[in-house]
Every structure is written in C-alpha cells, then in structure tokens.
C-alpha cells in the first residue's frame, strides 16, 4: 500500500529479496520472529536494539517503541531508515540505513538482523548489498561504514565479501560486557567497481525532501 510518509514507500528489490519501508503492518508480521528470539546464542550482537535480549512481552514492546521513535526522528542532521526484509512474501529480518549530517559528509552506516533459521544462506550479504545500492545509487553516498564484534565472523565475512576494507578497531558493549569491535569502510570508488545491475529502487526521489537532500 502507498503511505503518506515517504520513507515508508521506499523499496529496494534484488532477485532474492526486497527491503520494504518498515510500516506498522510489516512490523506486526515480524513480531513472532522477535518474540521467538533473535539473539539468544553467542556471538552476541550489539546492545542495539537492546530489546532483543529482553524477556517477553517487554522484548517486542521495546523493539516496536525503538523503531517508532527512530522513524519519528528524521531530519538533515540525523536519520535512520528502517526496512523489513521480505523473502518470498514473508518478513524475515530488518536492515537499517543510518546517516549523520549526510548532506555534509555523505557517509552512512548500517545495522541488520536476520531470523536465526535463515542464516548461513547468503541472505545477510544480499540485504547489505541492497541497502548499499540505496545509499550509493539512490542517495549519492560517498562512503559506507560497518562495525561488528571481532568474533562475529558472519558479519565480518559479509563486509569483506562486499569490498569493505578494515578501518581500525574500537570497543562497545553487549549485554553489559565490553568487546572488541572491528571497523570497516567502503568507498564509493570500490563500490562503483563492484556495483550490481540487478537491484531496483522505488520511492527514493519522493523521500529526498524528508532527508534534507533537495
């Protein structure tokens, strides 16, 4: 359906999956996956969203409130676009794109999670490739970054496969414990050399005024 709010109308389509603006309808369909547990085995992801560690029903309540709050805070200084990942018509996870002073710096970062039963099938890489296409081809990004705990081999493997280069380390917490973070950086030049021609964008132009890009 078409929404009054442009960010909810953005779609990124690849041959395998679709990133669709995180409308309340799609979020409701994703609730059972969140309720069943997305982060219950090591290696633990970031403390974002920390709701993924909470007990039910607080888990899904906090998860929904976090997305609602994030959708409401969209201006040129900061925005976070939330997408539900849809595979064969079914929601299976989320992929976010985040910009801070994007009009000035042209840099983005991303955050994602996938239903546990669907991991290890290359879908994480496909999700990231889709959101990078939105960032570079749709929004004109200059650079993308990604961070993952050093022991999160799956996420780090996706970054390496998509052309990111290591960009130092830092520290963060997960479940209150400190862990080493591997930082990654993908420039537009590298993305251009590897860009795909089978990813389609919809609804991007109508969203640019919301993001302060016109």
């Amino acid at each position: 359906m078409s929404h009054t709010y442009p960010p909810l109308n953005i779609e990124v389509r690849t041959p395998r999956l679709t990133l669709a603006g995180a409308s309340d309808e799609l979020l409701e369909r994703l609730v059972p996956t969140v309720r069943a547990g997305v982060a219950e085995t090591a290696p633990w992801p970031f403390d974002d969203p920390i709701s993924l560690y909470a007990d039910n029903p607080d888990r899904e309540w906090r998860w929904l409130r976090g997305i609602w709050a994030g959708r409401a805070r969209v201006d040129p200084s900061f925005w976070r676009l939330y997408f539900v990942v849809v595979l064969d018509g079914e929601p299976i996870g989320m992929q976010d794109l985040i910009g801070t002073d994007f009009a000035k710096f042209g840099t983005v970062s991303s955050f994602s999670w996938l239903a546990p039963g669907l991991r290890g099938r290359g879908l994480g890489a496909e999700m990231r490739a889709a959101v990078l296409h939105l960032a570079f081809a749709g929004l004109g990004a200059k650079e993308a970054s990604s961070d993952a705990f050093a022991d999160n081999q799956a996420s780090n493997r996706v970054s390496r496969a998509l052309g990111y280069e290591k960009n130092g380390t830092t520290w963060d917490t997960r479940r209150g414990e400190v862990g080493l973070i591997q930082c990654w950086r993908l420039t537009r030049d590298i993305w251009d050399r590897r860009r795909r021609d089978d990813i389609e964008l919809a609804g991007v132009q109508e969203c640019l005024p919301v993001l302060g890009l016109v």
Side-chain angles (χ1 to χ4, degrees):
M1 63 177 292
S2 179
H3 298 273
T4 302
Y5 192 49
L8 298 181
N9 293 324
I10 296 180
E11 282 195 356
V12 188
R13 309 182 190 105
T14 83
R16 297 191 67 188
L17 53 78
T18 296
L19 305 185
S23 65
D24 285 353
E25 295 89 346
L26 285 173
L27 292 176
E28 281 296 329
R29 293 175 60 193
L30 201 51
V31 164
T33 301
V34 175
R35 183 177 294 134
V38 171
E40 294 190 335
T41 58
W44 304 108
F46 293 96
D47 285 345
D48 175 16
I50 56 175
S51 60
L52 297 184
Y53 300 130
D55 294 328
N56 293 315
D58 194 41
R59 177 187 297 171
E60 54 262 36
W61 292 348
R62 291 169 66 181
W63 173 70
L64 285 167
R65 286 197 297 261
I67 295 172
W68 290 335
R71 289 188 319 194
R73 186 195 169 186
V74 175
D75 58 54
S77 67
F78 179 87
W79 44 259
R80 182 167 182 161
L81 301 177
Y82 296 84
F83 296 98
V84 173
V85 183
V86 181
L87 176 69
D88 297 328
E90 294 299 321
I92 61 168
M94 292 200 70
Q95 175 73 67
D96 304 348
L97 185 68
I98 305 154
T100 301
D101 288 324
F102 180 80
K104 182 188 302 181
F105 299 118
T107 59
V108 295
S109 58
S110 59
F111 177 84
S112 65
W113 61 264
L114 183 64
L118 294 171
R119 295 168 188 167
R121 294 169 47 180
L123 295 172
E126 190 77 355
M127 292 158 52
R128 184 96 66 85
V131 86
L132 287 173
H133 195 85
L134 169 62
F136 287 111
L139 303 180
K142 299 176 183 176
E143 185 177 298
S145 65
S146 183
D147 302 329
F149 282 100
D151 61 358
N152 189 337
Q153 296 181 14
S155 179
N156 289 314
R157 189 162 49 243
V158 167
S159 295
R160 187 178 295 108
L162 292 176
Y164 289 78
E165 298 175 333
K166 287 187 175 181
N167 192 35
T169 59
T170 186
W171 300 90
D172 208 329
T173 61
R174 50 186 171 181
R175 308 192 79 169
E177 295 183 1
V178 175
L180 181 67
I181 294 287
Q182 178 63 60
C183 304
W184 298 87
R185 173 175 176 262
L186 177 65
T187 64
R188 185 179 186 91
D189 286 344
I190 294 176
W191 177 83
D192 269 328
R193 293 199 294 268
R194 308 166 68 105
R195 70 177 294 169
R196 291 169 48 174
D197 60 5
D198 60 351
I199 300 178
E200 300 177 354
L201 301 175
V204 176
Q205 290 301 312
E206 295 81 0
C207 192
L208 296 182
V210 180
L211 305 180
L213 297 180
V214 293

